[in-house]
PDB file of all heavy atoms in Angstrom:
ATOM      1  N   GLY C   1      10.601   5.550   5.401  1.00 98.00           N
ATOM      2  CA  GLY C   1      10.112   5.608   6.776  1.00 98.00           C
ATOM      3  C   GLY C   1       9.902   7.001   7.297  1.00 98.00           C
ATOM      4  O   GLY C   1       9.254   7.204   8.333  1.00 98.00           O
ATOM      5  N   TYR C   2      10.426   8.007   6.583  1.00 98.00           N
ATOM      6  CA  TYR C   2      10.223   9.413   6.974  1.00 98.00           C
ATOM      7  C   TYR C   2       8.949  10.021   6.382  1.00 98.00           C
ATOM      8  O   TYR C   2       8.539  11.107   6.757  1.00 98.00           O
ATOM      9  CB  TYR C   2      11.407  10.265   6.532  1.00 98.00           C
ATOM     10  CG  TYR C   2      12.685   9.994   7.294  1.00 98.00           C
ATOM     11  CD1 TYR C   2      13.606   9.054   6.849  1.00 98.00           C
ATOM     12  CD2 TYR C   2      12.958  10.681   8.470  1.00 98.00           C
ATOM     13  CE1 TYR C   2      14.767   8.810   7.531  1.00 98.00           C
ATOM     14  CE2 TYR C   2      14.122  10.441   9.185  1.00 98.00           C
ATOM     15  CZ  TYR C   2      15.036   9.488   8.703  1.00 98.00           C
ATOM     16  OH  TYR C   2      16.184   9.255   9.411  1.00 98.00           O
ATOM     17  N   ALA C   3       8.343   9.326   5.442  1.00 98.00           N
ATOM     18  CA  ALA C   3       7.254   9.915   4.650  1.00 98.00           C
ATOM     19  C   ALA C   3       5.931   9.964   5.444  1.00 98.00           C
ATOM     20  O   ALA C   3       5.574   9.009   6.151  1.00 98.00           O
ATOM     21  CB  ALA C   3       7.046   9.148   3.371  1.00 98.00           C
ATOM     22  N   THR C   4       5.214  11.042   5.307  1.00 98.00           N
ATOM     23  CA  THR C   4       3.871  11.149   5.854  1.00 98.00           C
ATOM     24  C   THR C   4       2.869  10.513   4.923  1.00 98.00           C
ATOM     25  O   THR C   4       1.918   9.876   5.367  1.00 98.00           O
ATOM     26  CB  THR C   4       3.512  12.618   6.063  1.00 98.00           C
ATOM     27  OG1 THR C   4       4.451  13.209   6.966  1.00 98.00           O
ATOM     28  CG2 THR C   4       2.116  12.785   6.636  1.00 98.00           C
ATOM     29  N   TRP C   5       3.058  10.716   3.618  1.00 98.00           N
ATOM     30  CA  TRP C   5       2.154  10.195   2.599  1.00 98.00           C
ATOM     31  C   TRP C   5       2.918   9.261   1.675  1.00 98.00           C
ATOM     32  O   TRP C   5       4.038   9.560   1.277  1.00 98.00           O
ATOM     33  CB  TRP C   5       1.495  11.320   1.801  1.00 98.00           C
ATOM     34  CG  TRP C   5       0.913  12.397   2.645  1.00 98.00           C
ATOM     35  CD1 TRP C   5       1.350  13.686   2.805  1.00 98.00           C
ATOM     36  CD2 TRP C   5      -0.250  12.292   3.474  1.00 98.00           C
ATOM     37  NE1 TRP C   5       0.564  14.369   3.667  1.00 98.00           N
ATOM     38  CE2 TRP C   5      -0.449  13.546   4.100  1.00 98.00           C
ATOM     39  CE3 TRP C   5      -1.153  11.270   3.754  1.00 98.00           C
ATOM     40  CZ2 TRP C   5      -1.485  13.795   4.984  1.00 98.00           C
ATOM     41  CZ3 TRP C   5      -2.199  11.519   4.641  1.00 98.00           C
ATOM     42  CH2 TRP C   5      -2.357  12.764   5.239  1.00 98.00           C
ATOM     43  N   LEU C   6       2.304   8.167   1.291  1.00 98.00           N
ATOM     44  CA  LEU C   6       2.941   7.151   0.447  1.00 98.00           C
ATOM     45  C   LEU C   6       2.239   7.048  -0.895  1.00 98.00           C
ATOM     46  O   LEU C   6       1.073   7.365  -1.022  1.00 98.00           O
ATOM     47  CB  LEU C   6       2.906   5.776   1.153  1.00 98.00           C
ATOM     48  CG  LEU C   6       3.923   5.524   2.286  1.00 98.00           C
ATOM     49  CD1 LEU C   6       5.366   5.714   1.801  1.00 98.00           C
ATOM     50  CD2 LEU C   6       3.669   6.406   3.506  1.00 98.00           C
ATOM     51  N   PHE C   7       2.969   6.551  -1.874  1.00 98.00           N
ATOM     52  CA  PHE C   7       2.607   6.482  -3.281  1.00 98.00           C
ATOM     53  C   PHE C   7       2.729   7.872  -3.907  1.00 98.00           C
ATOM     54  O   PHE C   7       2.849   8.889  -3.197  1.00 98.00           O
ATOM     55  CB  PHE C   7       1.181   5.943  -3.489  1.00 98.00           C
ATOM     56  CG  PHE C   7       0.981   4.481  -3.192  1.00 98.00           C
ATOM     57  CD1 PHE C   7       0.166   4.070  -2.159  1.00 98.00           C
ATOM     58  CD2 PHE C   7       1.609   3.497  -3.955  1.00 98.00           C
ATOM     59  CE1 PHE C   7      -0.029   2.720  -1.876  1.00 98.00           C
ATOM     60  CE2 PHE C   7       1.421   2.167  -3.693  1.00 98.00           C
ATOM     61  CZ  PHE C   7       0.594   1.762  -2.649  1.00 98.00           C
ATOM     62  N   TRP C   8       2.718   7.898  -5.211  1.00 98.00           N
ATOM     63  CA  TRP C   8       2.856   9.175  -5.938  1.00 98.00           C
ATOM     64  C   TRP C   8       1.758  10.160  -5.566  1.00 98.00           C
ATOM     65  O   TRP C   8       1.970  11.366  -5.587  1.00 98.00           O
ATOM     66  CB  TRP C   8       2.797   8.905  -7.452  1.00 98.00           C
ATOM     67  CG  TRP C   8       4.015   8.309  -8.047  1.00 98.00           C
ATOM     68  CD1 TRP C   8       4.265   6.980  -8.303  1.00 98.00           C
ATOM     69  CD2 TRP C   8       5.205   8.999  -8.478  1.00 98.00           C
ATOM     70  NE1 TRP C   8       5.500   6.807  -8.858  1.00 98.00           N
ATOM     71  CE2 TRP C   8       6.128   8.028  -8.965  1.00 98.00           C
ATOM     72  CE3 TRP C   8       5.587  10.335  -8.476  1.00 98.00           C
ATOM     73  CZ2 TRP C   8       7.383   8.377  -9.474  1.00 98.00           C
ATOM     74  CZ3 TRP C   8       6.832  10.679  -8.975  1.00 98.00           C
ATOM     75  CH2 TRP C   8       7.714   9.713  -9.473  1.00 98.00           C
ATOM     76  N   ASP C   9       0.570   9.641  -5.235  1.00 98.00           N
ATOM     77  CA  ASP C   9      -0.562  10.502  -4.939  1.00 98.00           C
ATOM     78  C   ASP C   9      -0.893  10.592  -3.458  1.00 98.00           C
ATOM     79  O   ASP C   9      -1.869  11.203  -3.071  1.00 98.00           O
ATOM     80  CB  ASP C   9      -1.803  10.042  -5.726  1.00 98.00           C
ATOM     81  CG  ASP C   9      -2.180   8.587  -5.423  1.00 98.00           C
ATOM     82  OD1 ASP C   9      -1.563   7.956  -4.533  1.00 98.00           O
ATOM     83  OD2 ASP C   9      -3.098   8.066  -6.112  1.00 98.00           O
ATOM     84  N   GLY C  10      -0.069   9.952  -2.605  1.00 98.00           N
ATOM     85  CA  GLY C  10      -0.300  10.021  -1.159  1.00 98.00           C
ATOM     86  C   GLY C  10      -1.553   9.340  -0.690  1.00 98.00           C
ATOM     87  O   GLY C  10      -2.158   9.750   0.313  1.00 98.00           O
ATOM     88  N   ARG C  11      -1.943   8.265  -1.361  1.00 98.00           N
ATOM     89  CA  ARG C  11      -3.213   7.631  -1.013  1.00 98.00           C
ATOM     90  C   ARG C  11      -3.117   6.699   0.198  1.00 98.00           C
ATOM     91  O   ARG C  11      -4.124   6.056   0.572  1.00 98.00           O
ATOM     92  CB  ARG C  11      -3.805   6.879  -2.213  1.00 98.00           C
ATOM     93  CG  ARG C  11      -3.011   5.686  -2.707  1.00 98.00           C
ATOM     94  CD  ARG C  11      -3.654   5.094  -3.962  1.00 98.00           C
ATOM     95  NE  ARG C  11      -2.991   3.901  -4.453  1.00 98.00           N
ATOM     96  CZ  ARG C  11      -1.962   3.886  -5.254  1.00 98.00           C
ATOM     97  NH1 ARG C  11      -1.445   5.041  -5.692  1.00 98.00           N
ATOM     98  NH2 ARG C  11      -1.414   2.744  -5.667  1.00 98.00           N
ATOM     99  N   ARG C  12      -1.959   6.570   0.792  1.00 98.00           N
ATOM    100  CA  ARG C  12      -1.782   5.836   2.044  1.00 98.00           C
ATOM    101  C   ARG C  12      -0.996   6.718   3.015  1.00 98.00           C
ATOM    102  O   ARG C  12      -0.174   7.554   2.592  1.00 98.00           O
ATOM    103  CB  ARG C  12      -1.044   4.514   1.815  1.00 98.00           C
ATOM    104  CG  ARG C  12      -1.795   3.509   0.932  1.00 98.00           C
ATOM    105  CD  ARG C  12      -3.036   2.973   1.613  1.00 98.00           C
ATOM    106  NE  ARG C  12      -3.709   1.956   0.817  1.00 98.00           N
ATOM    107  CZ  ARG C  12      -4.653   2.206  -0.087  1.00 98.00           C
ATOM    108  NH1 ARG C  12      -5.031   3.474  -0.332  1.00 98.00           N
ATOM    109  NH2 ARG C  12      -5.222   1.238  -0.770  1.00 98.00           N
ATOM    110  N   ASP C  13      -1.216   6.526   4.295  1.00 98.00           N
ATOM    111  CA  ASP C  13      -0.586   7.402   5.286  1.00 98.00           C
ATOM    112  C   ASP C  13       0.367   6.657   6.218  1.00 98.00           C
ATOM    113  O   ASP C  13       0.747   7.182   7.260  1.00 98.00           O
ATOM    114  CB  ASP C  13      -1.625   8.179   6.079  1.00 98.00           C
ATOM    115  CG  ASP C  13      -2.522   7.286   6.943  1.00 98.00           C
ATOM    116  OD1 ASP C  13      -2.456   6.043   6.793  1.00 98.00           O
ATOM    117  OD2 ASP C  13      -3.281   7.822   7.768  1.00 98.00           O
ATOM    118  N   SER C  14       0.772   5.464   5.855  1.00 98.00           N
ATOM    119  CA  SER C  14       1.800   4.738   6.597  1.00 98.00           C
ATOM    120  C   SER C  14       2.445   3.717   5.667  1.00 98.00           C
ATOM    121  O   SER C  14       1.833   3.313   4.658  1.00 98.00           O
ATOM    122  CB  SER C  14       1.203   4.024   7.831  1.00 98.00           C
ATOM    123  OG  SER C  14       0.413   2.933   7.417  1.00 98.00           O
ATOM    124  N   LEU C  15       3.654   3.296   6.022  1.00 98.00           N
ATOM    125  CA  LEU C  15       4.337   2.288   5.210  1.00 98.00           C
ATOM    126  C   LEU C  15       3.610   0.957   5.256  1.00 98.00           C
ATOM    127  O   LEU C  15       3.576   0.227   4.277  1.00 98.00           O
ATOM    128  CB  LEU C  15       5.761   2.107   5.715  1.00 98.00           C
ATOM    129  CG  LEU C  15       6.877   2.839   4.959  1.00 98.00           C
ATOM    130  CD1 LEU C  15       8.225   2.535   5.596  1.00 98.00           C
ATOM    131  CD2 LEU C  15       6.894   2.468   3.478  1.00 98.00           C
ATOM    132  N   TRP C  16       3.010   0.597   6.396  1.00 98.00           N
ATOM    133  CA  TRP C  16       2.325  -0.685   6.458  1.00 98.00           C
ATOM    134  C   TRP C  16       1.041  -0.669   5.612  1.00 98.00           C
ATOM    135  O   TRP C  16       0.719  -1.676   4.943  1.00 98.00           O
ATOM    136  CB  TRP C  16       2.055  -1.119   7.895  1.00 98.00           C
ATOM    137  CG  TRP C  16       1.104  -0.275   8.711  1.00 98.00           C
ATOM    138  CD1 TRP C  16       1.431   0.760   9.513  1.00 98.00           C
ATOM    139  CD2 TRP C  16      -0.314  -0.441   8.820  1.00 98.00           C
ATOM    140  NE1 TRP C  16       0.293   1.278  10.126  1.00 98.00           N
ATOM    141  CE2 TRP C  16      -0.774   0.546   9.720  1.00 98.00           C
ATOM    142  CE3 TRP C  16      -1.236  -1.332   8.244  1.00 98.00           C
ATOM    143  CZ2 TRP C  16      -2.147   0.692  10.056  1.00 98.00           C
ATOM    144  CZ3 TRP C  16      -2.575  -1.208   8.573  1.00 98.00           C
ATOM    145  CH2 TRP C  16      -3.010  -0.198   9.460  1.00 98.00           C
ATOM    146  N   ALA C  17       0.328   0.434   5.636  1.00 98.00           N
ATOM    147  CA  ALA C  17      -0.868   0.529   4.781  1.00 98.00           C
ATOM    148  C   ALA C  17      -0.485   0.539   3.324  1.00 98.00           C
ATOM    149  O   ALA C  17      -1.166  -0.067   2.479  1.00 98.00           O
ATOM    150  CB  ALA C  17      -1.662   1.781   5.127  1.00 98.00           C
ATOM    151  N   GLN C  18       0.623   1.218   3.000  1.00 98.00           N
ATOM    152  CA  GLN C  18       1.111   1.195   1.609  1.00 98.00           C
ATOM    153  C   GLN C  18       1.443  -0.213   1.151  1.00 98.00           C
ATOM    154  O   GLN C  18       1.098  -0.641   0.026  1.00 98.00           O
ATOM    155  CB  GLN C  18       2.342   2.100   1.508  1.00 98.00           C
ATOM    156  CG  GLN C  18       2.929   2.195   0.100  1.00 98.00           C
ATOM    157  CD  GLN C  18       3.861   1.014  -0.242  1.00 98.00           C
ATOM    158  OE1 GLN C  18       4.544   0.491   0.624  1.00 98.00           O
ATOM    159  NE2 GLN C  18       3.851   0.603  -1.493  1.00 98.00           N
ATOM    160  N   ALA C  19       2.104  -0.994   2.033  1.00 98.00           N
ATOM    161  CA  ALA C  19       2.531  -2.344   1.654  1.00 98.00           C
ATOM    162  C   ALA C  19       1.349  -3.251   1.368  1.00 98.00           C
ATOM    163  O   ALA C  19       1.464  -4.190   0.546  1.00 98.00           O
ATOM    164  CB  ALA C  19       3.389  -2.935   2.767  1.00 98.00           C
ATOM    165  N   LEU C  20       0.207  -3.016   1.984  1.00 98.00           N
ATOM    166  CA  LEU C  20      -0.938  -3.870   1.789  1.00 98.00           C
ATOM    167  C   LEU C  20      -1.612  -3.665   0.435  1.00 98.00           C
ATOM    168  O   LEU C  20      -2.207  -4.575  -0.118  1.00 98.00           O
ATOM    169  CB  LEU C  20      -1.969  -3.646   2.908  1.00 98.00           C
ATOM    170  CG  LEU C  20      -1.514  -4.052   4.309  1.00 98.00           C
ATOM    171  CD1 LEU C  20      -2.587  -3.701   5.331  1.00 98.00           C
ATOM    172  CD2 LEU C  20      -1.180  -5.533   4.370  1.00 98.00           C
ATOM    173  N   GLY C  21      -1.522  -2.442  -0.106  1.00 97.00           N
ATOM    174  CA  GLY C  21      -2.207  -2.142  -1.363  1.00 97.00           C
ATOM    175  C   GLY C  21      -1.839  -3.072  -2.504  1.00 97.00           C
ATOM    176  O   GLY C  21      -2.700  -3.682  -3.145  1.00 97.00           O
ATOM    177  N   PRO C  22      -0.555  -3.215  -2.829  1.00 98.00           N
ATOM    178  CA  PRO C  22      -0.157  -4.085  -3.946  1.00 98.00           C
ATOM    179  C   PRO C  22      -0.528  -5.548  -3.742  1.00 98.00           C
ATOM    180  O   PRO C  22      -0.777  -6.278  -4.728  1.00 98.00           O
ATOM    181  CB  PRO C  22       1.358  -3.909  -4.013  1.00 98.00           C
ATOM    182  CG  PRO C  22       1.615  -2.573  -3.388  1.00 98.00           C
ATOM    183  CD  PRO C  22       0.599  -2.448  -2.307  1.00 98.00           C
ATOM    184  N   LEU C  23      -0.592  -6.013  -2.490  1.00 98.00           N
ATOM    185  CA  LEU C  23      -0.819  -7.448  -2.263  1.00 98.00           C
ATOM    186  C   LEU C  23      -2.188  -7.890  -2.780  1.00 98.00           C
ATOM    187  O   LEU C  23      -2.331  -9.001  -3.296  1.00 98.00           O
ATOM    188  CB  LEU C  23      -0.704  -7.765  -0.759  1.00 98.00           C
ATOM    189  CG  LEU C  23       0.712  -7.695  -0.191  1.00 98.00           C
ATOM    190  CD1 LEU C  23       0.671  -7.841   1.343  1.00 98.00           C
ATOM    191  CD2 LEU C  23       1.602  -8.775  -0.783  1.00 98.00           C
ATOM    192  N   GLU C  24      -3.207  -7.042  -2.633  1.00 98.00           N
ATOM    193  CA  GLU C  24      -4.548  -7.417  -3.122  1.00 98.00           C
ATOM    194  C   GLU C  24      -4.910  -6.724  -4.431  1.00 98.00           C
ATOM    195  O   GLU C  24      -6.018  -6.905  -4.930  1.00 98.00           O
ATOM    196  CB  GLU C  24      -5.584  -7.110  -2.050  1.00 98.00           C
ATOM    197  CG  GLU C  24      -5.571  -8.099  -0.904  1.00 98.00           C
ATOM    198  CD  GLU C  24      -6.803  -8.033  -0.003  1.00 98.00           C
ATOM    199  OE1 GLU C  24      -7.264  -6.902   0.294  1.00 98.00           O
ATOM    200  OE2 GLU C  24      -7.289  -9.098   0.388  1.00 98.00           O
ATOM    201  N   ASN C  25      -3.982  -5.968  -4.991  1.00 97.00           N
ATOM    202  CA  ASN C  25      -4.235  -5.325  -6.279  1.00 97.00           C
ATOM    203  C   ASN C  25      -4.157  -6.365  -7.397  1.00 97.00           C
ATOM    204  O   ASN C  25      -3.183  -7.100  -7.503  1.00 97.00           O
ATOM    205  CB  ASN C  25      -3.219  -4.211  -6.526  1.00 97.00           C
ATOM    206  CG  ASN C  25      -3.485  -3.460  -7.810  1.00 97.00           C
ATOM    207  OD1 ASN C  25      -3.266  -3.953  -8.890  1.00 97.00           O
ATOM    208  ND2 ASN C  25      -3.930  -2.206  -7.672  1.00 97.00           N
ATOM    209  N   ALA C  26      -5.197  -6.438  -8.220  1.00 97.00           N
ATOM    210  CA  ALA C  26      -5.267  -7.480  -9.247  1.00 97.00           C
ATOM    211  C   ALA C  26      -4.104  -7.424 -10.221  1.00 97.00           C
ATOM    212  O   ALA C  26      -3.666  -8.464 -10.762  1.00 97.00           O
ATOM    213  CB  ALA C  26      -6.585  -7.372 -10.001  1.00 97.00           C
ATOM    214  N   GLY C  27      -3.570  -6.224 -10.483  1.00 96.00           N
ATOM    215  CA  GLY C  27      -2.490  -6.087 -11.456  1.00 96.00           C
ATOM    216  C   GLY C  27      -1.114  -6.223 -10.853  1.00 96.00           C
ATOM    217  O   GLY C  27      -0.113  -6.318 -11.574  1.00 96.00           O
ATOM    218  N   GLU C  28      -1.006  -6.233  -9.512  1.00 98.00           N
ATOM    219  CA  GLU C  28       0.314  -6.333  -8.870  1.00 98.00           C
ATOM    220  C   GLU C  28       0.536  -7.748  -8.334  1.00 98.00           C
ATOM    221  O   GLU C  28       0.944  -8.617  -9.075  1.00 98.00           O
ATOM    222  CB  GLU C  28       0.439  -5.240  -7.814  1.00 98.00           C
ATOM    223  CG  GLU C  28       0.365  -3.832  -8.448  1.00 98.00           C
ATOM    224  CD  GLU C  28       0.656  -2.724  -7.493  1.00 98.00           C
ATOM    225  OE1 GLU C  28       1.765  -2.700  -6.917  1.00 98.00           O
ATOM    226  OE2 GLU C  28      -0.229  -1.851  -7.311  1.00 98.00           O
ATOM    227  N   HIS C  29       0.256  -8.017  -7.067  1.00 98.00           N
ATOM    228  CA  HIS C  29       0.442  -9.381  -6.553  1.00 98.00           C
ATOM    229  C   HIS C  29      -0.775 -10.265  -6.865  1.00 98.00           C
ATOM    230  O   HIS C  29      -0.644 -11.466  -6.987  1.00 98.00           O
ATOM    231  CB  HIS C  29       0.685  -9.347  -5.041  1.00 98.00           C
ATOM    232  CG  HIS C  29       1.988  -8.732  -4.681  1.00 98.00           C
ATOM    233  ND1 HIS C  29       3.004  -9.439  -4.073  1.00 98.00           N
ATOM    234  CD2 HIS C  29       2.484  -7.474  -4.842  1.00 98.00           C
ATOM    235  CE1 HIS C  29       4.043  -8.640  -3.855  1.00 98.00           C
ATOM    236  NE2 HIS C  29       3.745  -7.447  -4.312  1.00 98.00           N
ATOM    237  N   GLY C  30      -1.954  -9.649  -6.934  1.00 98.00           N
ATOM    238  CA  GLY C  30      -3.125 -10.361  -7.386  1.00 98.00           C
ATOM    239  C   GLY C  30      -3.700 -11.391  -6.428  1.00 98.00           C
ATOM    240  O   GLY C  30      -4.540 -12.196  -6.813  1.00 98.00           O
ATOM    241  N   GLY C  31      -3.271 -11.385  -5.158  1.00 98.00           N
ATOM    242  CA  GLY C  31      -3.759 -12.360  -4.191  1.00 98.00           C
ATOM    243  C   GLY C  31      -4.830 -11.778  -3.317  1.00 98.00           C
ATOM    244  O   GLY C  31      -5.474 -10.782  -3.622  1.00 98.00           O
ATOM    245  N   ASN C  32      -5.031 -12.389  -2.152  1.00 98.00           N
ATOM    246  CA  ASN C  32      -6.053 -11.937  -1.214  1.00 98.00           C
ATOM    247  C   ASN C  32      -5.637 -12.340   0.203  1.00 98.00           C
ATOM    248  O   ASN C  32      -4.748 -13.169   0.403  1.00 98.00           O
ATOM    249  CB  ASN C  32      -7.416 -12.505  -1.575  1.00 98.00           C
ATOM    250  CG  ASN C  32      -7.397 -14.023  -1.664  1.00 98.00           C
ATOM    251  OD1 ASN C  32      -7.304 -14.703  -0.655  1.00 98.00           O
ATOM    252  ND2 ASN C  32      -7.483 -14.533  -2.887  1.00 98.00           N
ATOM    253  N   ARG C  33      -6.290 -11.765   1.173  1.00 98.00           N
ATOM    254  CA  ARG C  33      -5.813 -11.859   2.552  1.00 98.00           C
ATOM    255  C   ARG C  33      -5.936 -13.259   3.133  1.00 98.00           C
ATOM    256  O   ARG C  33      -5.074 -13.659   3.936  1.00 98.00           O
ATOM    257  CB  ARG C  33      -6.474 -10.787   3.426  1.00 98.00           C
ATOM    258  CG  ARG C  33      -7.968 -10.811   3.470  1.00 98.00           C
ATOM    259  CD  ARG C  33      -8.517  -9.506   4.084  1.00 98.00           C
ATOM    260  NE  ARG C  33      -8.293  -8.362   3.220  1.00 98.00           N
ATOM    261  CZ  ARG C  33      -8.720  -7.109   3.496  1.00 98.00           C
ATOM    262  NH1 ARG C  33      -9.388  -6.873   4.623  1.00 98.00           N
ATOM    263  NH2 ARG C  33      -8.488  -6.131   2.660  1.00 98.00           N
ATOM    264  N   THR C  34      -6.948 -14.037   2.764  1.00 98.00           N
ATOM    265  CA  THR C  34      -7.020 -15.386   3.303  1.00 98.00           C
ATOM    266  C   THR C  34      -5.898 -16.265   2.737  1.00 98.00           C
ATOM    267  O   THR C  34      -5.257 -17.041   3.461  1.00 98.00           O
ATOM    268  CB  THR C  34      -8.393 -16.010   3.009  1.00 98.00           C
ATOM    269  OG1 THR C  34      -9.417 -15.162   3.499  1.00 98.00           O
ATOM    270  CG2 THR C  34      -8.527 -17.368   3.655  1.00 98.00           C
ATOM    271  N   MET C  35      -5.629 -16.117   1.465  1.00 98.00           N
ATOM    272  CA  MET C  35      -4.524 -16.834   0.835  1.00 98.00           C
ATOM    273  C   MET C  35      -3.205 -16.528   1.539  1.00 98.00           C
ATOM    274  O   MET C  35      -2.417 -17.413   1.850  1.00 98.00           O
ATOM    275  CB  MET C  35      -4.451 -16.419  -0.636  1.00 98.00           C
ATOM    276  CG  MET C  35      -3.180 -16.865  -1.360  1.00 98.00           C
ATOM    277  SD  MET C  35      -3.094 -16.069  -2.995  1.00 98.00           S
ATOM    278  CE  MET C  35      -1.319 -15.919  -3.169  1.00 98.00           C
TER     279      MET C  35
END
């Protein structure tokens, strides 16, 4: 919660934006927002 940049490469700028990435990533959760 203290971080300005998230992920190893800082490709997200908030914890909530970071959390959304894996959910629709085909190799991680593999789902989609309507589901």
Side-chain angles (χ1 to χ4, degrees):
Y2 289 92
T4 300
W5 310 111
L6 284 302
F7 289 115
W8 285 97
D9 57 6
R11 66 183 183 274
R12 296 292 184 271
D13 64 351
S14 70
L15 261 181
W16 65 268
Q18 181 278 325
L20 295 177
L23 289 172
E24 285 194 319
N25 183 288
E28 297 187 60
H29 292 244
N32 55 72
R33 57 194 68 177
T34 305
M35 169 190 148

